[in-house]
Every structure is written in C-alpha cells, then in structure tokens.
Amino acid sequence: MPDSVPLKALILNASLKHAPGVSNTGELSDLVVENMRSYCAVSAEEVRLADKNIPVGLGLNEGKGDDWPEVAKKIVAADVILFATPIWWGGRSSLMQRVIERMDSFDEQYIKGGRSVLYNKVAGVVLTGSEDGALSTMGSIMMVLTWLGFTLPPECGAYWVGEVGQPTKFDQEKRLKNDSTQHMAKNLARNLVYYAQLLKKYPLTPKK
C-alpha cells in the first residue's frame, strides 16, 4: 500500500480461557494481524481480558486494583482495535460485555466534549464458537462501536462457527481448513489497513 505509515493494533481477546491456554478467538485475531502486515508495518498487542481485573462500573476508574484504566489507555493509543469474542449461548462473552459497559466512560467524554476520543480509530470484530449466533453477535457489537465513534470498514468482521455438538478439541484444525474464514480474515485485514491509513492522512476533526 503506497505511502503507508506504521499502525498500532490492539486485540481485546474476550476468551474465557486464561493464558497460556490456547484461544481459538486469539488465533483467528492473530491471523487477521498477520494479513494486515502484508500491507504495512503493524505492531500488535493482545490483552487477554480473562487475566485482567475489570470490575463492574461505568467510570474510567472504579478504584484500587481496577485494570480498566490501563486497557483504556491502550485503546486510545491504538489505530486499529479488534474486538474478539467467543460465542456463548448465542451471544458475546461476559468479558466482552464488560468491556462494552466500561467503554461507557468514553461515551460520557463524547457527550461533554463534543468529540469522541475514539474518532479516527478503526475497529473490527472477530468471533469463534461451536454454536449459532455469529451474525447477530457481530451486529450487536458493531452497533455499539459505531455509536462510540469507531470507524467500521466494509466487511469488518471475521468468524468461524464449528459443528454443533462436536468435541471442541478439533476446532483449531477445522478452522484452519475453512476457506470462508480465511477469506474473511484477509478481507478484514485489508480493509482495516486501508481505512486506518486513510484516517491517518485525512483525520476526522469535527468542531466542538
């Protein structure tokens, strides 16, 4: 991609598995980042939310031991954020729901200042699971992200849903062989980079 600049990517992995456990959601997110690097230099960091203390609340800091302020700083510093979650009972994981709730502090800043700190940041959604619900889960997350101020490019999601009732230990092998998931990851990566580069060159700067 001509005239490209380095990008910072952040993966918010809402898997319920603790590190160093294998996360299908994390691996699909890594595939997206790998594809992004075919277009420009990308530094990426994954936040494994299961290993963070993010208490209930709507403020930026909910007191001693709250890891959300650290995560929020990483979001603000990133150019591209991947919201990655497994599907649980047809919807996003409890950890992704907690992130959405805590991002309310960004929304409050938007209302007070007239300008979202999340403008000029491009977001994508990554989903994995062994049950239905990928499209509805993706849609509900996208709705939140666009209202918070993120830019959502075309084809801004990638997902893999395994066969219902089968042992999940074979999920990785099946996912890696799925052509549709590979195709979605490539298109998501390309579009994330394109719009992130576009916003670097022509940032949205609304008047207060």
Side-chain angles (χ1 to χ4, degrees), residues 163-178:
E163 186 178 356
V164 175
Q166 300 302 306
T168 58
K169 65 181 180 179
F170 300 117
D171 282 359
Q172 181 187 41
E173 180 181 354
K174 294 177 181 177
R175 175 175 47 76
L176 293 175
K177 293 179 180 179
N178 190 290

Side-chain angles (χ1 to χ4, degrees), residues 40-79:
C40 70
V42 178
S43 60
E45 179 180 1
E46 179 189 64
V47 174
R48 197 77 170 257
L49 296 167
D51 296 324
K52 298 293 182 180
N53 177 40
I54 303 177
V56 172
L58 299 176
L60 181 61
N61 193 328
E62 291 296 329
K64 185 177 180 180
D66 185 0
D67 288 329
W68 178 251
E70 173 193 353
V71 176
K73 286 181 181 179
K74 294 179 186 296
I75 293 174
V76 172
D79 302 304

Side-chain angles (χ1 to χ4, degrees), residues 24 27-28 31 159-162 169-186:
N24 284 305
E27 287 188 343
L28 182 52
L31 177 62
Y159 68 90
W160 178 84
V161 178
K169 65 181 180 179
F170 300 117
D171 282 359
Q172 181 187 41
E173 180 181 354
K174 294 177 181 177
R175 175 175 47 76
L176 293 175
K177 293 179 180 179
N178 190 290
D179 290 338
S180 293
T181 297
Q182 298 290 322
H183 180 74
M184 285 188 286
K186 290 178 181 178

Side-chain angles (χ1 to χ4, degrees), residues 1-189:
M1 190 169 292
D3 302 322
S4 63
V5 297
L7 298 175
K8 291 183 179 180
L10 177 67
I11 302 169
L12 297 177
N13 185 351
S15 170
L16 301 186
K17 299 173 184 175
H18 294 277
V22 175
S23 165
N24 284 305
T25 306
E27 287 188 343
L28 182 52
S29 300
D30 290 341
L31 177 62
V32 173
V33 172
E34 179 183 331
N35 279 285
M36 288 175 64
R37 287 177 173 146
S38 66
Y39 297 99
C40 70
V42 178
S43 60
E45 179 180 1
E46 179 189 64
V47 174
R48 197 77 170 257
L49 296 167
D51 296 324
K52 298 293 182 180
N53 177 40
I54 303 177
V56 172
L58 299 176
L60 181 61
N61 193 328
E62 291 296 329
K64 185 177 180 180
D66 185 0
D67 288 329
W68 178 251
E70 173 193 353
V71 176
K73 286 181 181 179
K74 294 179 186 296
I75 293 174
V76 172
D79 302 304
V80 176
I81 298 94
L82 287 179
F83 292 83
T85 178
I87 301 169
W88 283 99
W89 293 102
R92 55 196 177 227
S93 78
S94 59
L95 292 172
M96 183 54 66
Q97 178 63 26
R98 181 62 54 83
V99 164
I100 289 172
E101 291 165 353
R102 292 301 300 271
M103 284 198 299
D104 189 73
S105 59
F106 292 134
D107 198 32
E108 290 177 4
Q109 292 175 342
Y110 190 177
I111 293 171
K112 290 179 181 178
R115 183 184 187 281
S116 174
V117 296
L118 303 175
Y119 277 165
N120 302 311
K121 299 185 184 303
V122 182
V125 181
V126 173
L127 301 173
T128 60
S130 294
E131 57 184 276
D132 195 10
L135 295 181
S136 62
T137 301
M138 189 180 300
S140 66
I141 294 174
M142 288 164 57
M143 181 275 296
V144 173
L145 299 181
T146 188
W147 281 110
L148 284 173
F150 288 99
T151 295
L152 302 181
E155 299 176 274
C156 64
Y159 68 90
W160 178 84
V161 178
E163 186 178 356
V164 175
Q166 300 302 306
T168 58
K169 65 181 180 179
F170 300 117
D171 282 359
Q172 181 187 41
E173 180 181 354
K174 294 177 181 177
R175 175 175 47 76
L176 293 175
K177 293 179 180 179
N178 190 290
D179 290 338
S180 293
T181 297
Q182 298 290 322
H183 180 74
M184 285 188 286
K186 290 178 181 178
N187 285 356
L188 171 58

